[in-house]
Amino acid sequence: MAMKKFLNDPDNLVDELLSGFALAHADKVKLTESNLVVRAKAKARDKVALVTLGGSGHEPALSGYVGEGMLDISVPGEIFAAPGPPKLIEALRMAERPAGVLLIVLNHDGDVMSANMAMEMAQQEGLNVKQILTHEDISTGPRDKPEQRRGLVGCLAVIKVAGAAAEQGASLDECLEIADRMERNMATLAVAVTSATHPCTGEAISEIPQADMIIGMGQHGESGSAQSKLKTADETAEIMLDMLVEDLSIKKGDDVLLMINGVGSTTLMEQYVVLNSCKKILDSRKINMVRCAAGEFLTVQEMGGFQMFMARMDDELIKLWDAACKCPCMAI
Amino acid sequence: MAMKKFLNDPDNLVDELLSGFALAHADKVKLTESNLVVRAKAKARDKVALVTLGGSGHEPALSGYVGEGMLDISVPGEIFAAPGPPKLIEALRMAERPAGVLLIVLNHDGDVMSANMAMEMAQQEGLNVKQILTHEDISTGPRDKPEQRRGLVGCLAVIKVAGAAAEQGASLDECLEIADRMERNMATLAVAVTSATHPCTGEAISEIPQADMIIGMGQHGESGSAQSKLKTADETAEIMLDMLVEDLSIKKGDDVLLMINGVGSTTLMEQYVVLNSCKKILDSRKINMVRCAAGEFLTVQEMGGFQMFMARMDDELIKLWDAACKCPCMAI
Amino acid sequence: MLLGAAGQIRENHRRLSELDSFGGDGDHGTTMLRAMENLEKSVASSRGGQMKQLLSETAWAVMGTDGGATGPLFGSFFMGMSNGAGQEERMDCVALASMFEAALECVRKRTKAEAGDKTIMDAMIPAVEQARLAADDGFGICGILERAAEAARRGADSTKDLQPRLGRAKNAAEQSLGHEDPGAVSVSLIFKGFLKGALEDGG
Amino acid sequence: MLLGAAGQIRENHRRLSELDSFGGDGDHGTTMLRAMENLEKSVASSRGGQMKQLLSETAWAVMGTDGGATGPLFGSFFMGMSNGAGQEERMDCVALASMFEAALECVRKRTKAEAGDKTIMDAMIPAVEQARLAADDGFGICGILERAAEAARRGADSTKDLQPRLGRAKNAAEQSLGHEDPGAVSVSLIFKGFLKGALEDGG
Ligand SMILES: Nc1ncnc2c1ncn2[C@@H]1O[C@H](COP(=O)(O)OP(=O)(O)O)[C@@H](O)[C@H]1O
Ligand SMILES: Nc1ncnc2c1ncn2[C@@H]1O[C@H](COP(=O)(O)OP(=O)(O)O)[C@@H](O)[C@H]1O
Ligand SMILES: [Mg+2]
Ligand SMILES: [Mg+2]
Ligand SMILES: [Mg+2]
Ligand SMILES: [Mg+2]
């Protein structure tokens, strides 16, 4: 099927989408000349700044999380493609402050390469920047090979808790420790049922047979491993929960945060149904779903499916998760 | 194509989705035994209460707008079908208070019939309830035949401003006046590019030719009038703005609120692009886009397309639109 | 009688949804099915007694279906039948015709639709008229229901050539040309069900 | 020489995106095209002068493409060439081979990929090796580029039978079987473009 998207010249796509984004949220964010997304009202300079980078086409991620309680700067790239090192180093220079800067990077080759190059430059320039890598896709590698795991929606949890800590005045090392604790205790698994089209090429970015679902589908349509017939919400939730619980070694009585992230055309209705399935299953296993969320937090164009995120929570993480935030696409 | 949704028994769909919804937003809302959605923390009884009703399957509408600054009770019906009078009268009885109750009804036959019957009962019981009907779909009737116009995403603006007024202590008549002012000054037009499937029947609820878009498509896939080849964002925005501006008799120098409501699988990316197109066009006509928004506020399952909403704003309406609110799916 | 109506809808609900898909939102069959399930439950839980009371409970149950226009319209139909029913346990022929007239009147409070608008009215109006004529002609219960059901069927049939002027489908008027109005077909199924029910009850 | 590379990519970008769609995200052609447009702009705006400086500006422009892995990898390639370049305005044959070696080294800083992983390295490593050998054998600029380009082409070809172990496509390893790695093809197109450019410049 031909692409049916409302677009103008694909070469201007990212410019236009960012400019529309900035219009819609002018009370919270603004765009710099080189298309960095920054807070409308900058955070006090004695607090740690949070910076992240990532390809576009995943709206509301990641720029939707710039604002009070979360990010200070987001560096958007092209569609599905990380920004290059020049833009990132510009952002780090802009964020630079005595309190330091935490750079949050999703584990995808391009993002990591850009981040590493920018980090090298930052070090040469003497900037006080530390980096945290998110890699929680359990379908692409075992827990002891984190470098093989992709960064999916889990970045949101890391940004939320580290952002809250920064807002409360935590030091760079403390923010990094919080981010790292969240990161080590989280896991995500994706399932896809229909493909998305790349808005620039107009091509489907994956092929999913008519009646099938694919568990482990990546954020850019990169295929996953387990393909099966489409299952009910209950069945799908059970399969995915099993894998997440096992990966995190979650035990009876553990407190978990569960998040259903719709990736595009899977309805909020379905996300709530799946969340309800998860709650039933977790209850039956005496695992405490202490917090949960459902919504489109990080999308893959109009792909059908969702990412299921689970994290083992402690009291401090819960408190930081609950802390107030005011961002274009997340407000607590 | 077969339906690819994560569901269990369709007969339990609404129960499950509401229960998942209540889980995800337990800090803001709760469900009553008969599936009314009410605030977790009730509003003071000396303030006007706002109640609305509507079919399910349009998430986050309408229950996502229950909370501080917006609704007090939402009465969800079955998928795409208004709740019957029994549930609605129960809600009105529950909302009843000296300050009075404002019932917001979208103009669809079922909703109106239920509301009228419940209003008759409420009057017999001596409840202090007034009703406002939203009918702003300019594709289904001329401005002087409001009864022919469907209620689309405009209900959100009415709920927002009336809810803010109620929260600030306005009387029932004042809330009604505000709601009515918003209602008379607003207009919506929808465009669809791909169909949705009815989650219970599994059938497509409309047919849209491969390369076409349909301007005027309704909230349940009811077809619209103007069918054409898919156009660019700029072109589509121009056509739709022309019709909205004409309907509202918007003049140079007028202040407008513009809202792009994604109905399902049209990405937030595209919504921002369209919003950006609108801004350019309005600027060129010297019409002031004083406020704007983009997002999925009222969806139609996984339908592709969006609703473009425009309203002529005065200072009081702008203030009420800007007022704080804390709802599951809208927070300012 | 009431259960006969439920049976007819159950057998045909798929066709009703299909008819609703030509311009409407394709849910009429599902909704009617749920309405009739509620009706059956209310019949099952009623402790015999008055027809009037049973009909009023049924009406409330049908209205509680959360089925868009269907709940209020069909609920009003049964509510009107209840209004028109006397205090007796069993109805006679004249009472039956009056009940249907009261039902139509009650539905009219909910909608401005007239014959020709491609709605339930195209089946309901002639059915009620024929019930009255049959009662006046001295027909028995089954005779009345037979003529009413036949009139409803023809009325529903006639909607094929009409374009809807009310309801969701009005915005896709052409799409429904050549197809019957689902609501009108439901009405004709209900009258057919009444007849079947009455025949089985032994009239 | 640089513009020759851009020309080759421009002619073949659709095929590159298509190759990237077997397991990857289908954007490699678009990204390379943008990278080469940035390269062209930087060449156009450079005021003649040093090769080293031009290459470094080019590298920065390519990195600024915001193209996922492509920016850093190909940017590093040009950056490495700049590092390896002397202060002279024109390069000689030995310098050329050293520049390529420095380029490879710089790319290696960004990735652990080795030959056989189905990445750009499968074309880049043999190309650089052959460039060195050709220089040692006393070939001229065009001769060096001819052997490097041929090695890159064969390297890219060889990726057909490989399964990716790095990059996005690694998660759909089987899907890419039988297809060349897009990044490796880009490398071979760049060397081919260098050669064409050098031939047109008259060497
Ligand atoms: N305003 C109205 N007056 C009379 N009948 C109506 C009206 N609106 C709808 N109907 C009837 O209801 C039927 C559709 O019912 P249903 O599909 O259950 O409700 P909805 O339109 O809310 O989805 C139509 O075929 C028509 O007969
Ligand atoms: N880690 C890596 N090491 C070496 N080459 C890589 C690596 N990751 C990707 N590549 C190369 O990049 C190509 C894909 O580039 P491109 O599609 O532009 O980037 P992305 O994968 O970010 O969409 C692959 O074909 C491969 O040759
Ligand atoms: Mg990419
Ligand atoms: Mg309906
Ligand atoms: Mg219907
Ligand atoms: Mg790619």
Side-chain angles (χ1 to χ4, degrees), chain A residues 53-59 61-62 75-83 111 220, chain D residues 66:
Chain A
L53 72 155
S56 296
H58 300 296
E59 291 64 32
L62 290 161
V75 189
E78 277 297 319
I79 298 298
F80 297 168
D111 302 66
H220 309 87
Chain D
D66 299 351

Side-chain angles (χ1 to χ4, degrees), chain C residues 20 24-28 31 168:
Chain C
D20 191 32
D25 61 356
D27 64 355
H28 185 64
T31 307
R168 295 205 199 296

Side-chain angles (χ1 to χ4, degrees), chain A residues 80-81 198, chain D residues 16-17 20-21 24-29 31 67 69-70 168-169 182:
Chain A
F80 297 168
H198 195 295
Chain D
L16 293 172
S17 282
D20 192 31
S21 70
D25 61 354
D27 64 354
H28 185 64
T31 308
T70 294
R168 293 203 200 296

Side-chain angles (χ1 to χ4, degrees), chain A residues 113-281:
Chain A
M113 286 180 202
S114 273
N116 287 345
M117 292 183 79
M119 285 297 288
E120 285 164 25
M121 288 185 244
Q123 253 134 39
Q124 279 165 18
E125 298 180 16
L127 308 184
N128 183 17
V129 186
K130 296 200 169 166
Q131 182 183 324
I132 172 97
L133 199 62
T134 68
H135 26 34
E136 15 84 62
D137 179 357
I138 64 171
S139 75
T140 49
R143 183 150 279 271
D144 60 5
K145 295 237 172 69
E147 72 282 1
Q148 292 180 4
R149 295 189 153 186
R150 293 177 289 210
L152 301 181
V153 72
C155 59
L156 183 66
V158 171
I159 292 169
K160 180 71 188 68
V161 294
E167 211 74 51
Q168 290 167 17
S171 72
L172 180 54
D173 282 333
E174 285 162 351
C175 289
L176 181 62
E177 191 277 324
I178 290 284
D180 185 57
R181 180 138 41 99
M182 186 82 237
E183 212 287 319
R184 278 181 295 103
N185 282 289
M186 72 189 193
T188 302
L189 187 57
V191 58
V193 289
T194 57
S195 173
T197 31
H198 195 295
C200 301
T201 65
E203 302 289 327
I205 62 171
S206 59
E207 261 156 59
I208 305 173
Q210 270 281 331
D212 287 6
M213 64 183 209
I214 300 181
I215 290 183
M217 177 71 77
Q219 206 149 256
H220 309 87
E222 313 95 324
S223 311
S225 28
Q227 189 154 335
S228 71
K229 292 287 147 209
L230 182 64
K231 295 189 157 46
T232 65
D234 281 345
E235 290 161 351
T236 310
E238 178 128 35
I239 295 171
M240 295 175 79
L241 282 177
D242 273 340
M243 294 169 74
L244 292 167
V245 162
E246 195 194 320
D247 181 79
L248 288 165
S249 313
I250 298 286
K251 304 262 167 330
K252 239 188 216 188
D254 279 356
D255 290 342
V256 302
L257 159 66
L258 195 98
M259 192 156 60
I260 306 296
N261 173 51
V263 294
S265 58
T266 287
T267 57
L268 191 51
M269 176 191 82
E270 291 160 82
Q271 296 167 42
Y272 288 136
V273 168
V274 172
L275 181 59
N276 188 54
S277 302
C278 290
K279 168 74 170 150
K280 282 186 301 186
I281 298 166

